[in-house]
Structures are given as structure tokens and as C-alpha cells.
């Protein structure tokens, strides 16, 4: 079976994890601090706060933005459900904005109509690694006194206007889940240029303690910590961070490989009628964390049928990005019509793309799609 995604690890990751185990300090400690510095410096931002996942990072990020009960935060419904859920963790209200049909991302044009006097923030998602056109959103939101934070879960290695995604954001949250290009097993980071936010997120991820467990361990004298506010256990381990450091050193190479495979898919699929493949938007480059295609209305096979056909022929695909507002957890949630979101979520699927995917495997995927476009059932 050709999987839809496969993390790319070498012996170095296994060695790095083993070295941490041998050191005897496996919890959040020096490797986490090193990974934070390295990731922030890769992006060219001031600081990074490592956490247990992007979901927990989004929660902390919204917390330092001051989001609370009664506040509205604009998010795309066209995202993994964690984006909207993080707003609900703050007892605030996610308000869904529709997305651009080409990129699957919110734009100022889709955000502005859903702003109200209660909007405190916009959470821009760089969906599937495709950079959102965030600058017009920043400018429009700034005029209205609204914060813009970024859910960059999928976007490590993507660029916006010639610089890494996340540069210029007051805060951005990242995921290192194995479906992402850079993985630590589970894990995440919040990057920010605000030292006060970084300090508070470091405290909040560790139960609100004023001295971290690692610093107490290193101290020459016994230190008795204090708990300054109600926090969480959102820590990353040093084992994860050690893997992350190796993965970060490989990131550009992994992105280059993904982009080359995506380019090949695009060339081959250009000849298949009824299929549109995701491409770089004019304002940046994607890491192709997800390589998705959209079927047009005349495609002879429905999206779910096509997924079944791929599966029957030894290829694992996935439905496209979900629409949060269509899930039972949001069934009674108020919303404006979201026609583009509903169309994209129904008509898109994610094709296999991973570092070690071969051209022969890619050809097999394309052959199944080509036959399906001709109304044939199997490759
Ligand atoms: C856009 C987006 N936000 C948040 C998340 C949650 O990331 P994590 O699994 O690291 O919590 C994901 C995961 O797929 C995602 O795609």
C-alpha cells in the first residue's frame, strides 16, 4: 500500500533520542531550550516556546492575546478542528470565515464581513502549508484594533513574500505531529517577537511555576517554586526536542524534495481532465505538507468513490481538509454561509506525498486518476 504520508527519519534521530535517554534527563530541559532557539533562529524571529502540540500552543497563544469569555475570534471552518476548539478552550466564540477557492485560506475579503464589535482576534491558518496572504489581513485588522495570530501548524518551510511564514506575526503556532514535514512524534511551538508573551507562555506550559523544574534541578541551592497563576502541563520532552533538532537540520532538504515531487504531480496531472492540483500562490511558496487536488463537477467519479478506487488499487488517499462547521461538535454553531469551504471539503482529496515516494509510485497514483477521469474503474 502506498501511504498518504510517511515521516522521514534517519539513524541520526534515533541516536539523538538515545543520547537523551542515556543522559538521564528526559523531561523538558536543555534540549527543549536548544530546539526553541534553533527553530526561532531558522525562522528569523525572536523566540519560540516549545509545547506538547500545536493545539496546546494555540491555547497558550490565545491566552496571552487576552482572549476570554465574550470575545469573538475569526477562524476558517476549513481547518483541522483544533483551530476552532482552541478558541472554545478560552470560553470565547469562534466565528467562521469562508476561504479563497484557490488557496483554501482566509483573506481580508472573507474575514471583513464577519467582524463585529466583539471581534478580538483573527486566527489565520496556512492550510496544508499553503501560505495565506496575511499582510492585507494584518493591515485591515490593525485599522480596527484587532489582533492577528497565525496557525502555522502545517507550514514549517513555507514562505510568504520571500520570508519564512510566521515572520512578522505577533505569534504563530506550529505542529510537529508526524503528518507534518518536521516531526517530533507529537509536539508544537509558539513563536513570537514579544518577550513578555514568551515568558508567560513558558510559565503557563508548566503549571504557572515561577522557576522551571529544569532550572531548579540545575540550581546550586534548593529553590522553592511558586505558582503565580493557574497553568497547564503542556511541556515537550527533551527526547522530542532532540529529534526535532535533527529534523530541523533536514527541513530545507525535505521541503525541496516535496516541492520537486509536487511539481512532478502537477505536470502529470495537467493532462488529466477535471482535476485541479494545488500550486504555489502568487505571494509565496508552499512546503506541500498536504498535496491536494480538487475534482470538478463533471469528473465521472465522486470524491469518496475515487478514494475507494485508490484504496482498492493499493493507494492510500485522504479526504481534503475538513469543514469544522459540518461536524457534530459544531452542529448548533451560528455561521454565515460558507460555500467555498463546503465545496472544497466535498471535492478535494489528499494524494500520497512523502520524502521517499518514488516516481513509479507517483505514476501509479496518476494512472488511477487518469483512468477514473475516463470513467474507468481500475488502473
Ligand atoms: C491547521 C491545524 N491546526 C492545528 C492542528 C493541531 O496540531 P497538533 O496535532 O500538533 O495539536 C493541526 C493538525 O493537523 C492543523 O492542521
Amino acid at each position: 500500500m502506498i501511504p498518504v504520508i510517511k515521516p522521514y527519519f534517519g539513524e541520526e534521530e534515533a541516536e539523538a533520542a538515545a543520547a537523551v535517554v542515556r543522559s538521564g534527563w528526559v523531561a523538558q530541559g536543555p534540549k527543549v531550550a536548544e530546539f526553541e532557539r534553533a527553530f526561532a533562529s531558522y525562522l528569523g524571529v525572536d523566540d519560540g516556546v516549545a509545547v506538547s502540540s500545536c493545539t496546546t500552543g494555540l491555547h497558550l497563544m490565545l491566552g496571552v492575546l487576552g482572549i476570554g469569555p465574550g470575545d469573538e475570534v475569526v477562524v476558517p471552518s476549513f481547518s483541522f478542528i483544533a483551530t476552532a476548539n482552541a478558541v472554545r478552550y478560552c470560553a470565547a466564540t469562534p466565528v467562521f470565515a469562508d476561504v479563497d477557492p484557490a488557496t483554501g485560506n482566509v483573506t481580508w475579503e472573507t474575514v471583513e464581513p464577519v467582524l463585529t464589535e466583539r471581534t478580538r482576534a483573527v486566527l489565520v491558518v496556512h492550510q496544508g502549508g499553503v501560505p495565506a496572504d496575511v499582510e492585507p489581513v494584518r493591515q485591515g485588522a490593525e485599522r480596527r484594533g484587532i489582533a492577528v495570530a497565525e496557525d502555522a501548524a502545517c507550514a514549517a518551510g513555507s514562505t510568504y513574500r520571500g520570508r519564512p511564514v510566521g515572520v512578522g506575526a505577533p505569534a504563530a503556532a506550529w505542529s510537529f505531529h508526524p503528518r507534518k514535514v518536521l516531526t517530533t512524534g507529537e509536539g508544537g511551538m509558539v513563536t513570537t517577537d514579544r518577550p513578555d508573551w514568551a515568558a508567560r507562555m513558558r510559565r503557563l506550559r508548566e503549571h504557572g511555576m515561577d522557576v522551571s523544574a529544569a532550572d531548579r534541578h540545575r540550581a546550586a541551592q534548593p529553590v522553592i517554586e511558586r505558582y503565580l497563576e493557574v497553568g497547564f502541563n503542556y511541556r515537550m520532552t527533551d527526547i522530542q526536542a532532540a529529534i526535532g533538532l535533527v529534523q530541523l537540520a533536514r527541513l530545507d532538504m525535505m521541503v525541496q524534495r516535496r516541492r520537486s515531487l509536487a511539481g512532478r504531480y502537477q505536470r502529470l496531472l495537467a493532462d488529466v481532465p477535471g482535476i485541479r492540483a494545488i500550486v504555489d500562490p502568487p505571494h509565496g511558496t508552499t512546503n506541500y505538507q498536504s498535496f491536494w487536488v480538487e475534482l470538478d463537477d463533471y469528473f465521472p467519479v465522486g470524491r469518496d468513490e475515487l478514494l475507494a478506487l485508490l484504496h482498492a488499487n493499493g493507494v492510500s488517499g485522504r479526504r481534503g481538509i475538513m469543514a469544522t462547521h459540518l461536524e457534530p461538535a459544531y452542529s448548533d454553531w451560528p455561521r454565515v454561509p460558507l460555500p467555498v469551504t463546503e465545496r472544497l471539503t466535498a471535492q478535494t482529496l489528499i494524494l500520497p506525498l512523502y520524502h521517499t515516494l518514488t516516481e513509479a509510485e507517483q505514476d501509479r497514483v496518476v494512472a488511477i486518476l487518469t483512468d477514473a477521469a475516463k470513467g474507468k474503474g481500475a488502473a
Side-chain angles (χ1 to χ4, degrees):
M1 195 79 177
I2 302 176
V4 71
I5 208 154
K6 201 161 43 170
Y8 182 58
F9 292 132
E11 272 307 302
E12 294 87 346
E13 281 86 347
E15 265 309 310
V20 171
V21 173
R22 286 189 206 105
S23 81
W25 184 276
V26 292
Q28 176 187 282
K31 282 290 167 193
V32 167
E34 193 183 336
F35 184 42
E36 291 176 338
R37 286 192 298 272
F39 191 73
S41 132
Y42 171 86
L43 295 180
V45 299
D46 285 353
D47 211 344
V49 178
V51 282
S52 52
S53 69
C54 182
T55 306
T56 56
L58 287 168
H59 187 195
L60 294 189
M61 183 170 85
L62 293 172
V64 297
L65 280 166
I67 304 301
D71 294 337
E72 292 181 358
V73 178
V74 175
V75 297
S77 164
F78 190 67
S79 184
F80 186 58
I81 197 165
T83 308
N85 283 352
V87 179
R88 292 182 72 176
Y89 299 161
C90 300
T93 304
V95 173
F96 295 126
D98 212 354
V99 291
D100 171 67
T103 62
N105 289 323
V106 296
T107 61
W108 177 243
E109 286 67 36
T110 68
V111 164
E112 192 178 19
V114 299
L115 299 177
T116 73
E117 70 286 351
R118 299 198 327 176
T119 310
R120 286 285 307 280
V122 180
L123 192 44
V124 172
V125 180
H126 303 281
Q127 195 50 256
V130 179
D133 194 7
V134 71
E135 195 51 44
V137 183
R138 287 178 188 154
Q139 284 170 13
E142 193 179 334
R143 283 197 297 275
R144 313 262 294 241
I146 295 167
V148 178
E150 298 179 31
D151 178 340
C154 310
S158 298
T159 66
Y160 176 62
R161 296 193 179 181
R163 297 195 297 173
V165 161
V167 171
W174 307 81
S175 172
F176 306 129
H177 179 271
R179 270 192 73 171
K180 308 304 185 283
V181 182
L182 184 172
T183 183
T184 57
E186 291 279 359
M189 182 97 70
V190 182
T191 50
T192 181
D193 287 336
R194 289 268 308 248
D196 53 334
W197 286 359
R200 181 145 184 247
M201 286 189 284
R202 285 206 165 86
R203 203 163 68 217
L204 284 171
R205 76 177 166 187
E206 199 169 11
H207 304 287
M209 270 181 224
D210 63 348
V211 189
S212 77
D215 287 345
R216 274 186 285 132
H217 178 72
R218 276 197 296 269
Q221 301 290 328
V223 178
I224 297 176
E225 79 284 8
R226 298 187 65 227
Y227 297 82
L228 305 181
E229 58 183 321
V230 175
F232 312 91
N233 177 357
Y234 284 170
R235 289 174 298 223
M236 176 183 271
T237 69
D238 262 20
I239 302 174
Q240 292 168 298
I243 295 171
L245 280 161
V246 180
Q247 288 266 294
L248 182 61
R250 296 187 198 281
L251 179 59
D252 286 345
M253 181 263 286
M254 294 193 288
V255 170
Q256 204 180 6
R257 170 75 181 153
R258 298 184 75 82
R259 289 183 55 76
S260 143
L261 288 167
R264 188 163 186 276
Y265 262 142
Q266 285 156 353
R267 286 191 296 281
L268 296 172
L269 291 171
D271 297 331
V272 182
I275 292 190
R276 172 181 77 92
I278 184 70
V279 295
D280 281 334
H283 50 259
T285 59
T286 167
N287 61 5
Y288 290 105
Q289 181 269 334
S290 287
F291 185 82
W292 55 265
V293 296
E294 180 184 0
L295 307 180
D296 77 11
D297 292 337
Y298 308 103
F299 200 80
V301 180
R303 193 275 311 270
D304 292 354
E305 215 183 323
L306 186 54
L307 281 174
L309 198 59
L310 284 162
H311 194 267
N313 284 277
V315 175
S316 177
R318 288 285 183 280
R319 69 163 174 173
I321 315 301
M322 64 184 294
T324 302
H325 73 278
L326 299 179
E327 294 302 318
Y330 285 84
S331 56
D332 55 356
W333 212 250
R335 61 175 190 270
V336 297
L338 300 163
V340 179
T341 296
E342 292 187 7
R343 185 190 157 76
L344 287 180
T345 203
Q347 291 296 102
T348 54
L349 64 152
I350 296 170
L351 300 182
L353 185 63
Y354 50 89
H355 197 87
T356 51
L357 184 72
T358 64
E359 292 195 352
E361 287 168 332
Q362 244 188 337
D363 290 345
R364 209 161 109 209
V365 176
V366 173
I368 299 165
L369 299 177
T370 307
D371 277 359
K374 292 179 191 150
K376 288 200 240 162

